[in-house]
Amino acid sequence: MHDDTPLTDVLAIRLDGRPHQVPAGSTLAALVQALGHAPDAVATALNGDFVPRGQRAALELRTGDAVLFFQPITGG
């Protein structure tokens, strides 16, 4: 029995400027959750572009992606 898909596939990304690894197939939403952040308590950017909270689940991370977490800005 041979499976061509290794169970340990990981992607190398940059998280807040530092090397980080995530499982292949991870979404931005999954990364936020895995790191223990409440979805509404952190803002995100992927490769320099702001990603609204509602779009995180649709964004699958790729090798080399640069992810930034930052405090959401509120005010008026």
Side-chain angles (χ1 to χ4, degrees), residues 42-71:
V42 66
T44 54
L46 180 64
N47 300 322
D49 294 323
F50 172 74
V51 179
R53 187 179 316 127
Q55 294 179 13
R56 294 176 187 163
L59 284 176
E60 190 171 311
L61 298 172
R62 299 183 200 171
T63 297
D65 278 346
V67 177
L68 292 175
F69 289 168
F70 52 98
Q71 287 298 117

Side-chain angles (χ1 to χ4, degrees), residues 7-76:
L7 296 177
T8 57
D9 272 355
V10 294
L11 304 175
I13 65 167
R14 301 223 26 110
L15 176 60
D16 293 330
R18 296 186 172 162
H20 189 80
Q21 291 187 333
V22 297
S26 292
T27 63
L28 186 54
L31 179 60
V32 170
Q33 181 180 15
L35 295 174
H37 295 290
D40 58 350
V42 66
T44 54
L46 180 64
N47 300 322
D49 294 323
F50 172 74
V51 179
R53 187 179 316 127
Q55 294 179 13
R56 294 176 187 163
L59 284 176
E60 190 171 311
L61 298 172
R62 299 183 200 171
T63 297
D65 278 346
V67 177
L68 292 175
F69 289 168
F70 52 98
Q71 287 298 117
I73 299 171
T74 59

